[in-house]
Amino acid sequence: MSLHPERCPRCESGGPEALSHSPVKGAWTVFHCKTCFFTWRSTEPDFITDPQKYNPNFKFSPADMADFGVMPAVPELKTKG
């Protein structure tokens, strides 16, 4: 099992937190980035867990998040009439 990560693989922000642990002690841990909301399990391959190997097409910086669109609200359900 990998140690607690210092940086998020996707946005490279520091301080990801442990979100959940396996019911079998030490089997895996789920980590969560509070900046970009990315989650990953400690047992994922290194191209997911290592910021240097994470696919650059899916990386972004925290500053980029200011330009992300807002998810539109779900419209009310139309009733048949």
Side-chain angles (χ1 to χ4, degrees):
M1 183 173 88
S2 65
L3 300 174
H4 192 95
E6 294 181 19
R7 294 179 296 145
C8 170
R10 181 166 66 176
C11 75
E12 298 199 30
S13 292
E17 60 185 21
L19 185 64
S20 180
H21 300 280
S22 68
V24 175
K25 186 175 180 177
W28 50 260
T29 301
V30 174
F31 296 105
H32 172 250
C33 176
K34 295 186 286 184
T35 302
C36 73
F37 310 108
F38 184 60
T39 57
W40 67 99
R41 196 181 312 210
S42 59
T43 55
E44 301 279 356
D46 64 352
F47 64 85
I48 298 294
T49 62
D50 184 344
Q52 298 298 323
K53 296 178 181 178
Y54 193 80
N55 186 331
N57 292 320
F58 298 112
K59 288 184 81 104
F60 56 85
S61 73
D64 295 334
M65 292 177 69
D67 297 325
F68 290 175
V70 176
M71 183 66 85
V74 176
E76 290 187 37
L77 184 63
K78 293 182 180 181
T79 58
K80 293 182 180 181

